[in-house]
């Protein structure tokens, strides 16, 4: 069993780290303070190849594996967690259009999305359908060669600043459950699309989050991704990778917090000694590093299983997401504690790391839902034995 990264994978991680230092880290605090969405920097991320990371090469993307995507997102998150989190969402939307759109739809949108000329939002969550995504009520009624879409979507990242909306809408009967959901591409400037007020959030302030309403929005049937009724399946496939993506952002945040803590303990003195000489603080640093390493191994293992098409990949992605996002928040919170009062003020980045990582335990499926996914698989015959 070889855990070593290849030279190409190391080069990808190094390139992402360089971009994070040059384009993200210096500005993250300012973007957070101003709630500024850095569209210009996101477009430069497209120039660097980071907007089509796992979009197939045939469609102009890099065609990288989910493991390689994880390496990139972990490094980018050390520059700015919130901006990187948006990049993960845009990558997912681009991949979905490239994977399941017809030729004309791909040709129209994918090159612009990879270049950052058209940004994407993913529209699944509704005011009354969060964790229970299969109960969504946004409707897409077919009239001839068009769908007429009505309903609303909540907590949409990038809303108001993006151009392409991948909307999960019910094309089947109201009681059709997961099998009655279709994925439809809606241009953000289509008549009847309305963006609500920008939510005031605890963290992730450098990306807008809004409600989007659809009032009789008409789009061609050819804007549907895949066949009618396949949308929920696509959503779940997207979420497997999305969970790894957000877990990778937590890894990057925890790595930054750990590095900052090591440096602070070496510099700060109390009672005539460097903080790094106190055994209790040494133990705290050791625990933070141990938990981060365990989480990183889980995320990379789950990514490998997803790349291999493993039948239990969904459960492994859920386990990795739950563990890594819990760990990421805990490590950042412990780092804030190690910094004492300095950690609580905005001059230091710790309070922002804590705020930005907290939402990772909620989105892409709450960590309670992750436990439910794992538990259901564990109760199936032979699954527990397969974990060995």
């Amino acid at each position: 069993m070889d855990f070593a990264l290849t030279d190409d994978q190391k080069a990808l991680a190094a390139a992402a780290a360089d971009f994070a230092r040059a384009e993200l880290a210096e500005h993250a605090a300012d973007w957070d303070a101003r709630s500024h969405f850095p569209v210009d920097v996101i477009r430069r991320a497209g120039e660097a190849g980071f907007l089509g990371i796992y979009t197939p090469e045939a469609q102009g993307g890099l065609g990288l594996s989910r493991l390689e995507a994880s390496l990139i997102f972990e490094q980018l998150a050390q520059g700015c967690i919130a901006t990187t989190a948006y990049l993960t969402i845009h990558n997912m939307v681009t991949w979905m259009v490239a994977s399941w759109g017809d030729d004309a739809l791909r040709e129209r949108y994918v090159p612009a999305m990879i270049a950052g000329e058209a940004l994407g939002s993913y529209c699944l969550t509704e005011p009354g359908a969060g964790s229970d995504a299969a109960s969504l009520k946004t409707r897409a009624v077919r009239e001839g060669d068009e769908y007429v879409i009505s309903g609303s979507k909540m907590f949409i990242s990038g809303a108001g600043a993006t151009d392409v909306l991948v909307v999960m809408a019910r094309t089947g009967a109201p009681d059709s459950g997961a099998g009655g959901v279709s994925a439809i591409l809606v241009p953000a400037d289509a008549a009847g699309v309305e963006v609500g007020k920008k939510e005031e959030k605890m963290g992730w302030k450098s990306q807008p989050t809004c409600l989007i309403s659809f009032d009789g929005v008409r789009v061609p049937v050819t804007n549907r991704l895949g066949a009618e009724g396949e949308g929920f399946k696509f959503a779940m496939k997207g979420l497997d990778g999305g969970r790894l993506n957000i877990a990778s952002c937590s890894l990057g945040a925890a790595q930054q917090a750990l590095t900052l803590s090591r440096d602070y303990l070496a510099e700060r003195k109390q009672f005539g000694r460097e903080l790094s000489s106190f055994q209790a603080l040494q133990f705290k640093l050791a625990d933070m590093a141990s938990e981060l390493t365990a989480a990183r191994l889980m995320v990379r293992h789950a990514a490998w299983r997803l790349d291999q098409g493993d039948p239990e990949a969904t459960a492994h992605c859920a386990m990795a997401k739950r563990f890594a996002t819990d760990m990421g928040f805990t490590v950042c919170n412990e780092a804030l504690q190690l910094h004492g009062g300095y950690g609580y003020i905005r001059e230091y980045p710790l309070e922002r790391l804590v705020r930005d990582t907290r939402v990772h335990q909620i989105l892409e499926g709450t960590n309670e839902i992750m436990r439910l996914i794992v538990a259901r698989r564990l109760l199936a015959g032979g699954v527990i034995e397969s974990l060995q």
Side-chain angles (χ1 to χ4, degrees):
M1 185 177 295
D2 187 358
F3 291 97
L5 299 178
T6 67
D7 288 343
D8 286 346
Q9 289 169 337
K10 291 176 183 177
L12 288 169
D18 288 343
F19 186 89
R21 283 189 294 268
E23 298 284 0
L24 302 178
E26 182 180 347
H27 308 289
D30 176 60
W31 296 338
D32 175 79
R34 295 190 293 121
S35 296
H36 173 68
F37 189 46
V39 172
D40 55 336
V41 175
I42 293 169
R43 288 187 174 134
R44 288 200 287 278
E47 294 170 7
F50 297 140
L51 297 187
I53 293 173
Y54 46 87
T55 295
E57 288 185 275
Q59 304 304 321
L62 296 182
L64 298 179
S65 68
R66 295 310 178 108
L67 172 58
E68 290 158 342
S70 175
L71 300 176
I72 291 170
F73 291 135
E74 179 180 348
Q75 293 299 323
L76 292 176
Q78 293 182 57
C80 179
I81 301 165
T83 303
T84 302
Y86 172 74
L87 296 180
T88 73
I89 294 165
H90 178 85
N91 268 275
M92 180 171 67
V93 174
T94 305
W95 167 76
M96 292 180 81
V97 177
S99 298
W100 296 300
D102 66 17
D103 289 342
L105 201 65
R106 290 198 300 262
E107 289 171 9
R108 181 177 177 184
Y109 288 103
V110 173
M113 297 180 75
I114 289 172
E117 296 166 2
L119 301 182
S121 288
Y122 181 59
C123 303
L124 173 63
T125 300
E126 298 184 359
S131 296
D132 184 14
S135 69
L136 62 83
K137 292 184 168 32
T138 295
R139 295 279 297 157
V141 177
R142 184 162 181 171
E143 294 185 1
D145 293 331
E146 292 183 319
Y147 282 118
V148 182
I149 303 173
S150 299
S152 60
K153 298 293 182 177
M154 197 170 190
F155 302 137
I156 306 305
S157 291
T162 52
D163 311 283
V164 177
L165 312 176
V166 168
V167 180
M168 297 296 163
R170 187 162 302 284
T171 50
D175 61 351
S176 55
V181 175
S182 297
I184 303 170
L185 187 154
V186 178
D189 61 357
V193 175
E194 295 290 337
V195 178
K197 70 177 181 66
K198 188 160 65 173
E199 301 291 352
E200 293 293 332
K201 308 188 296 293
M202 173 181 172
W204 272 26
K205 291 179 177 290
S206 70
Q207 57 163 285
T209 302
C210 308
L211 179 143
I212 301 181
S213 60
F214 303 88
D215 184 10
V217 178
R218 290 181 174 271
V219 297
V221 169
T222 52
N223 277 27
R224 189 185 65 227
L225 306 184
E228 198 164 274
E230 288 190 311
F232 193 78
K233 178 179 70 175
F234 298 160
M236 294 304 101
K237 286 185 176 180
L239 284 174
D240 280 343
R243 286 161 184 162
L244 294 178
N245 292 345
I246 211 63
S248 301
C249 289
S250 287
L251 297 179
Q255 180 67 49
Q256 186 185 13
L258 183 64
T259 302
L260 291 168
S261 297
R262 178 204 61 195
D263 295 346
Y264 183 78
L265 294 183
E267 295 167 2
R268 176 76 166 164
K269 289 186 177 181
Q270 289 287 277
F271 307 104
R273 299 162 53 190
E274 289 84 3
L275 291 182
S276 59
S277 68
F278 289 89
Q279 190 177 67
L281 302 185
Q282 293 174 358
F283 285 1
K284 180 64 68 178
L285 201 68
D287 286 346
M288 292 161 66
S290 299
E291 289 163 7
L292 171 56
T293 300
R296 182 176 286 121
L297 288 171
M298 282 192 74
V299 171
R300 293 183 182 179
H301 178 245
W304 177 82
R305 283 184 176 262
L306 188 58
D307 288 331
Q308 299 301 311
D310 189 293
E312 298 302 333
T314 293
H316 281 274
C317 290
M319 286 191 282
K321 190 269 182 181
R322 198 286 302 168
F323 188 82
T325 57
D326 282 350
M327 176 283 310
F329 177 75
T330 297
V331 169
C332 290
N333 196 42
E334 293 287 5
L336 188 152
Q337 186 73 17
L338 288 174
H339 280 70
Y342 290 106
Y344 202 66
I345 62 176
R346 290 201 170 185
E347 183 179 348
Y348 286 71
L350 275 304
E351 59 87 28
R352 175 166 46 85
L353 297 185
V354 170
R355 288 188 288 107
D356 281 347
T357 54
R358 181 59 183 88
V359 73
H360 296 180
Q361 297 168 292
I362 298 171
L363 50 79
E364 304 289 359
T366 67
N367 283 3
E368 289 73 22
I369 292 296
M370 297 305 99
R371 290 178 173 90
L372 183 62
I373 292 169
V374 174
R376 284 175 174 172
R377 287 306 303 148
L378 294 179
L379 292 171
V383 174
I384 287 181
E385 289 77 8
S386 73
L387 296 177
Q388 300 179 73

